Amino acid sequence: MRCFIGIDLGSTTTKAVVMDENLQILGRGITNSRSNYDTAAAVSKQEALIDTRLTLFRRALSNVPEVSGKVDDILSDLERNFRHVQFLEQLEDLQNTCIANIKGPRFAGREKVVIEALEGTFSRLRDSSAAQYAPGVKRKSDFFRDLAGAEFMSHGEAVCKEAGLGFDLILNVYDKSIIEVENRPPAGDMEGKFVRALEKGTMTGSSILAPVQSALAIPLEETYVVGTGYGRVRLPFPKEHIRSEILCHGLGAHMMYPDTRTVLDIGGQDTKGIQVDPVGIVENFQMNDRCAAGCGRYLGYIADEMNMGLHELGPLAMKSNKQVRINSTCTVFAGAELRDRLALGEKREDILAGLHRAIILRAMSILSRAGGVKDQFTFTGGVAKNEAAVRELRKLIKENYGDVTINIDPDSIYTGALGGATFAVRAVVN
Amino acid sequence: MSKPEAVKEPSMEMQKAMIARNYDAITSKHETGRKVSSTFVPGNLNELLMCFDIVNNLPEINAIQAGMRKASGGYIMEAEKSGHSEDVCTYVKADIGQMSKGNIAPNGKPYPNPDVLMLSYTGCYTFMKWFELLREEYKCPTLMLHVPYEGDGHSTKNMRDYIVKQLKEVVIPGLEQVSGVKFDIDRLRQYLRNSAKAEDNLVWCLEQGKVKPSPIDAYFGGVYYIGPIFTAFRGTEDAVSYYEMLRKEVQGRIENHQGPLTPEGTYFNDQKYRLIVEGPPNWTNFREFWKMFYDEGAIVVASSYTKVGGLYDQGFRHDPDNPLESLADYCLGCYTNLNLPTRVDLLAKYVEEYEADGLLINSIKSCNSFSAGQLMIMKEVERRTGRPGAFIETDLVDPRYFSAANVKNRLESYFQMIEQKRRGGGSKTVAA
Ligand code: SF4
């Protein structure tokens, strides 16, 4: 079947969306952007294609009367097993890479013991991985680095201790190798992995097997790919396949909420106020100037300044009942203002509430420059996940523009990629 | 290392030689005994200064030159060190900073002190403060020509008389005194005749932006086209020949269906977007900025910046039969002296007449005079013409204010937005 793909290369994460020619979303994928944009694009695309397969399975199974009511379980079982197969494959790659990296004076004469320790560690990792993918277990992360890393630490330490070997020796090899593995485009053969996952699974009854295998046999043909986001120029695409993220966010928001007229996107590096017409065409936009004050990065700095995780800022700010006025959205000044307020004995939650307000005030100014807020209003970008920012935004929108509908989609992180995929469909289908 | 030199056309070479000659005239004042004035581009009285054999030095142009040579950043920092605020017009700071760094002209020789500051005030208060600073430094007389602002969108006889009166009673006697040369109105008439000739050809060239593909770029190319007429050459035989040459070049391109030359030396024929641009360009990253346009197929067919020193395309010409009156009209009608509705009218008219895809505004961080009201202008022009506008922000000569990624992002979005609108966006395929 013809697949249309949008890839949004953001500064921190890369997202992909796969669509069919009827503009139905088939799959979504996400990965860390890290250092290598090409890999990030390849990984997110592959993730979205995996998700697409799952959608196709779902469609196939929905016609099977015997499994009615059980499709969700079957699919989650299948996905779990698939992820496990995928994990094992990457683990093997990691093991081989680690072994290949055992060279140099550091290891001279000790290669054999180190290799044995590594093999022992990886063997335990393989065994324990089954538990990570057991039914009902909530995985801690979607990223291989996080999942493999934690286990490697505990098993590696134990193995080294038993062997009387310094753990730092294999840790060092691991650190070097994980980056290589991460930056390697993932191996293909998605179908093969699904077959292995099916074999692993418990539900291989023929009523399931046949429809799943026929869904698996549908070729996924990459008909057109559109790239967007800050890293877009780094994509190995011809120019016609690249769209600015302003247009992609406008169109993506329109696809989610066809009646939306105003879109606010607060991303890591910039803030955009966008007006779209009834068919999703951008009419007007404004964005912050060269200074990234008030964007997602600003919150990152604040989190660092307060020694907190980015995701903790919103919840803490929500606890405030007295807002401190922060006048500066300038990243540098805000740090100073923050320390000053803390020194004056203000509470952290109150200061944070003030900071969130400062960000939203700046966004309000960009919105008004773009022509104000019209019904319906859609908020996208990473900051849309921050409840304290959302609370301020709702307040200020109401004060300034009255009762407009405010949309915030749980999948809003995919807005740009969704717009990209829609452009891809339009490029071919029109 | 620095980028290769821009490919130059014969007219550009000629202009380059003219500018070099003028810098030599300025910096050799002590040998020649000629007097030097400093004055501004909008509303300048070049022909009048020529009547007194005064050499014309333009601090704004010096700042631009410094910007293009990448020297302005250092000058601005120098000025800031001596207490000038970050927000002040960077032409001023480039000029002031240059002074404290030896005041070296592009030919390597020091600028001499001016003998007179000829302040023709046309809409920007910064001019006055700037010359106050220079007067403090150079201790030379300042001749102020006050030009009333066209607040109602047009000038009156009263305003014109007021300027003529100042010319007769203040400016001309003042220049006679500084130079020791007696004013001769027939000499002025002759210069004005030259001006009008050059202006005719300039207007012809600028109007060729209506041709498709456009044989000119009315912004990045335009700043070269207006060079002689807006600076020390209006009224000279040199300017007359320059514009004759320019006209021939443009004519030649039309015959060959060619666009203008880009700095890379290729003809820009594949023109996808036709734009009207409002606001001055960025000078520190001029080439990079220009490239962002032609790489995307965007040609500027008309701009307001090419009108800062006079709206010749709207019919005005220097007039040898009414010399002082026409100088007055000239000052009144330059772009910085127009009120906002007039600017909107003009820009909307350009969008229509030049069949442009829309209006792009380059808002200058440190120039309040140009920038105030620009967003309103954009919205109003969009409303009237039904064509999309866009807004970018840079600075004149402060390299710290140019964010290439940000500008490029906005430009590309704008061009794609135009494209999308043209195609009608494929509304049929939007899922129900
Ligand atoms: S008009 Fe703008 S650029 Fe010119 S002197 Fe005034 S402030 Fe500076």
Side-chain angles (χ1 to χ4, degrees):
Chain A
M1 77 187 296
R2 299 210 287 179
C3 291
F4 300 86
I5 303 174
I7 300 179
D8 178 2
L9 278 139
S11 53
T12 44
T13 54
T14 295
K15 285 78 62 176
V17 165
V18 178
M19 260 187 173
D20 68 13
E21 57 197 23
N22 301 315
L23 296 164
Q24 297 300 314
I25 297 176
L26 298 173
R28 300 184 181 87
I30 185 165
T31 186
N32 288 349
S33 292
R34 292 240 164 78
S35 55
N36 188 331
Y37 278 127
D38 287 352
T39 311
V43 173
S44 68
K45 191 170 81 181
Q46 199 185 53
E47 287 295 318
L49 286 169
I50 291 166
D51 200 31
T52 300
R53 277 290 170 215
L54 291 168
T55 306
L56 295 181
F57 296 156
R58 181 179 295 281
R59 285 186 187 171
L61 290 172
S62 69
N63 300 322
V64 183
E66 292 95 309
V67 295
S68 90
K70 286 188 281 186
V71 175
D72 281 344
D73 293 340
I74 296 171
L75 286 178
S76 73
D77 187 46
L78 187 59
E79 193 194 346
R80 260 188 317 99
N81 289 327
F82 177 86
R83 295 285 173 205
H84 192 199
V85 170
Q86 208 184 16
F87 179 82
L88 290 174
E89 190 183 284
Q90 261 186 307
L91 207 59
E92 192 182 319
D93 184 11
L94 182 61
Q95 179 173 351
N96 294 336
T97 310
C98 283
I99 290 174
N101 277 332
I102 299 174
K103 45 183 179 245
R106 223 185 139 156
F107 299 102
R110 287 192 288 178
E111 288 92 345
K112 200 165 161 285
V113 275
V114 178
I115 289 176
E116 273 167 15
L118 273 172
E119 281 171 347
T121 306
F122 276 103
S123 148
R124 291 187 195 188
L125 248 161
R126 266 190 294 277
D127 292 344
S128 70
S129 71
Q132 281 190 46
Y133 292 90
V137 173
K138 175 130 178 50
R139 270 193 308 285
K140 293 184 198 74
S141 166
D142 285 333
F143 299 123
F144 176 70
R145 169 192 278 262
D146 301 338
L147 294 175
E151 299 273 298
F152 185 90
M153 297 304 141
S154 60
H155 293 312
E157 246 185 321
V159 168
C160 287
K161 204 167 173 191
E162 287 160 25
L165 203 69
F167 175 54
D168 60 320
L169 219 50
I170 67 165
L171 184 63
N172 188 272
V173 178
Y174 169 85
D175 278 344
K176 198 168 159 204
S177 310
I178 187 84
I179 298 173
E180 281 177 44
V181 171
E182 247 177 3
N183 285 333
R184 211 169 351 251
D189 185 31
M190 205 204 303
E191 286 72 21
K193 273 179 248 179
F194 269 115
V195 170
R196 270 173 277 151
L198 269 176
E199 286 160 359
K200 240 180 185 237
T202 47
M203 298 186 227
T204 45
S206 63
S207 56
I208 300 171
L209 200 58
V212 167
Q213 274 181 336
S214 69
L216 206 49
I218 300 173
L220 296 182
E221 175 197 326
E222 278 181 34
T223 308
Y224 204 95
V225 185
V226 164
T228 187
Y230 253 96
R232 64 187 186 277
V233 286
R234 300 280 309 275
L235 288 171
F237 295 174
K239 215 166 177 178
E240 324 78 79
H241 288 248
I242 291 175
R243 289 286 185 293
S244 95
E245 69 262 37
I246 290 164
L247 269 75
C248 287
H249 272 97
L251 186 56
H254 168 82
M255 296 305 285
M256 290 169 165
Y257 303 100
D259 291 326
T260 200
R261 287 295 171 274
T262 305
V263 181
L264 172 67
D265 174 61
I266 305 187
Q269 307 293 332
D270 52 37
T271 301
K272 312 168 196 93
I274 306 168
Q275 308 285 9
V276 292
D277 75 359
V279 291
I281 296 180
V282 173
E283 300 243 87
N284 201 313
F285 64 88
Q286 289 290 328
M287 63 188 274
N288 58 297
D289 58 15
R290 75 197 190 294
C291 160
C295 306
R297 283 296 308 207
Y298 170 84
L299 281 174
Y301 282 117
I302 299 300
D304 289 349
E305 193 76 36
M306 288 203 152
N307 250 326
M308 292 170 70
L310 188 56
H311 59 281
E312 294 169 302
L313 294 183
L316 184 55
M318 291 297 281
K319 295 207 183 106
S320 146
N321 39 32
K322 165 184 164 276
Q323 206 168 58
V324 172
R325 181 181 291 274
I326 301 286
N327 292 319
S328 183
T329 44
C330 168
T331 316
V332 180
F333 283 155
E337 208 159 331
L338 184 92
R339 283 187 293 273
D340 191 42
R341 300 285 176 179
L342 283 172
L344 287 173
E346 304 273 15
K347 288 217 289 271
R348 293 206 307 170
E349 52 263 43
D350 298 339
I351 298 172
L352 277 180
L355 284 166
H356 281 86
R357 184 177 172 84
I359 291 179
I360 297 301
L361 278 172
R362 183 161 154 110
M364 291 298 290
S365 143
I366 289 173
L367 276 170
S368 65
R369 286 173 47 163
V373 172
K374 298 178 194 129
D375 199 22
Q376 300 175 6
F377 170 73
T378 303
F379 184 27
T380 70
V383 180
K385 286 216 182 320
N386 178 318
E387 48 192 328
V390 170
R391 180 178 65 178
E392 280 312 314
L393 184 72
R394 286 189 190 278
K395 230 180 349 199
L396 283 163
I397 296 275
K398 195 171 162 72
E399 271 168 33
N400 289 286
Y401 299 100
D403 277 315
V404 299
T405 308
I406 299 178
N407 306 315
I408 302 175
D409 193 291
D411 278 325
S412 76
I413 193 161
Y414 291 102
T415 310
L418 175 59
T422 312
F423 275 121
V425 176
R426 289 183 178 183
V428 174
V429 176
N430 274 12
Chain B
M1 262 318 291
S2 65
K3 294 177 212 109
E5 265 285 284
V7 173
K8 295 213 164 67
E9 288 161 287
S11 63
M12 282 173 95
E13 296 292 355
M14 179 177 181
Q15 181 172 162
K16 202 174 152 195
M18 286 158 70
I19 292 172
R21 273 205 300 283
N22 193 52
Y23 276 120
D24 285 338
I26 294 169
T27 52
S28 59
K29 130 176 171 170
H30 297 300
E31 296 93 78
T32 60
R34 289 181 71 179
K35 302 291 183 208
V36 170
S37 85
S38 281
T39 194
F40 292 111
V41 170
N44 75 62
L45 301 171
N46 196 52
E47 299 90 341
L48 197 61
L49 291 169
M50 283 164 64
C51 292
F52 301 94
D53 297 323
I54 294 176
V55 191
N56 188 349
N57 187 18
L58 298 126
E60 286 159 293
I61 301 295
N62 299 342
I64 293 175
Q65 293 279 348
M68 291 188 98
R69 282 182 290 118
K70 309 250 179 241
S72 55
Y75 296 157
I76 290 168
M77 301 280 259
E78 199 58 34
E80 287 178 1
K81 260 191 236 160
S82 61
H84 294 273
S85 153
E86 201 197 339
D87 302 317
V88 166
C89 168
T90 51
Y91 280 166
V92 179
K93 283 185 291 178
D95 186 36
I96 303 277
Q98 177 156 352
M99 255 163 30
S100 53
K101 284 203 148 185
N103 224 8
I104 304 298
N107 62 5
K109 298 187 197 154
Y111 284 110
N113 289 0
D115 300 284
V116 62
L117 299 171
M118 177 62 240
L119 169 52
S120 159
Y121 170 76
T122 49
C124 172
Y125 269 101
T126 302
F127 283 168
M128 292 197 206
K129 297 296 167 196
W130 191 346
F131 270 14
E132 267 181 58
L133 291 163
L134 296 194
R135 183 171 61 189
E136 192 55 34
E137 175 76 21
Y138 296 123
K139 315 261 185 282
C140 67
T142 309
L143 294 173
M144 159 92 167
L145 176 72
H146 178 244
V147 177
Y149 179 57
E150 287 198 355
D152 296 330
H154 54 83
S155 61
T156 61
K157 179 168 181 305
N158 215 337
M159 292 178 181
R160 176 203 250 199
D161 292 347
Y162 171 59
I163 299 175
V164 171
K165 187 168 168 1
Q166 293 176 74
L167 288 173
K168 284 186 181 153
E169 293 175 5
V170 181
V171 177
I172 292 174
L175 292 174
E176 279 181 328
Q177 206 181 353
V178 167
S179 65
V181 176
K182 188 97 192 75
F183 177 58
D184 171 1
I185 198 154
D186 290 324
R187 202 173 159 188
L188 179 63
R189 287 184 209 277
Q190 180 51 37
Y191 293 144
L192 294 182
R193 211 163 279 128
N194 287 344
S195 300
K197 256 195 244 170
E199 286 156 8
D200 279 342
N201 282 328
L202 167 72
V203 169
W204 182 90
C205 291
L206 291 179
E207 290 193 329
Q208 304 317 304
K210 292 177 184 166
V211 175
K212 291 177 189 173
S214 172
I216 60 161
D217 183 289
Y219 190 56
F220 297 103
V223 300
Y224 293 100
Y225 307 155
I226 59 175
I229 209 108
F230 283 180
T231 60
F233 307 99
R234 202 181 56 233
T236 64
E237 296 286 344
D238 268 352
V240 175
S241 345
Y242 170 84
Y243 286 101
E244 280 166 3
M245 180 186 256
L246 182 66
R247 182 172 178 152
K248 284 202 194 95
E249 281 172 8
V250 174
Q251 183 69 53
R253 292 202 290 272
I254 296 177
E255 281 156 18
N256 297 322
H257 302 286
Q258 274 167 340
L261 269 182
T262 66
E264 276 153 20
T266 48
Y267 286 102
F268 179 16
N269 301 335
D270 184 19
Q271 303 175 358
K272 287 196 271 201
Y273 312 106
R274 296 167 62 81
L275 304 180
I276 307 299
V277 175
E278 145 77 13
N282 166 279
W283 301 105
T284 50
N285 298 65
F286 188 80
R287 292 269 308 268
E288 188 184 3
F289 191 32
W290 188 352
K291 195 169 183 328
M292 290 180 192
F293 286 71
Y294 63 73
D295 274 355
E296 295 289 322
I299 183 105
V300 184
V301 290
S303 72
S304 56
Y305 188 65
T306 48
K307 316 292 151 52
V308 273
L311 280 143
Y312 301 107
D313 64 333
Q314 303 302 304
F316 168 80
R317 292 291 179 280
H318 283 91
D319 176 6
D321 296 330
N322 299 289
L324 297 184
E325 292 75 10
S326 81
L327 284 178
D329 290 343
Y330 165 68
C331 295
L332 280 163
C334 57
Y335 192 72
T336 45
N337 204 43
L338 304 182
N339 72 352
L340 293 174
T342 311
R343 280 167 70 185
V344 169
D345 285 346
L346 189 71
L347 291 164
K349 189 168 142 195
Y350 286 157
V351 172
E352 303 287 359
E353 284 183 359
Y354 286 77
E355 296 181 44
D357 292 295
L359 171 70
L360 173 77
I361 293 186
N362 180 29
S363 187
I364 297 299
K365 274 279 190 201
S366 69
C367 170
N368 296 329
S369 179
F370 246 102
S371 309
Q374 275 178 329
L375 208 53
M376 179 285 285
I377 290 179
M378 182 185 92
K379 298 243 156 84
E380 193 53 27
V381 172
E382 272 183 328
R383 195 186 62 76
R384 277 206 224 165
T385 62
R387 273 163 260 181
F391 204 78
I392 54 174
E393 290 152 290
T394 73
D395 189 57
L396 303 161
V397 289
D398 190 339
R400 295 169 300 182
Y401 278 139
F402 188 84
S403 162
N406 186 292
V407 172
K408 197 164 190 287
N409 199 0
R410 294 200 216 189
L411 285 176
E412 286 181 15
S413 300
Y414 180 47
F415 301 144
Q416 291 173 10
M417 183 167 125
I418 293 173
E419 188 73 55
Q420 203 185 359
K421 289 210 164 208
R422 276 190 196 149
R423 291 209 205 112
S427 55
K428 290 158 271 58
T429 58
V430 173

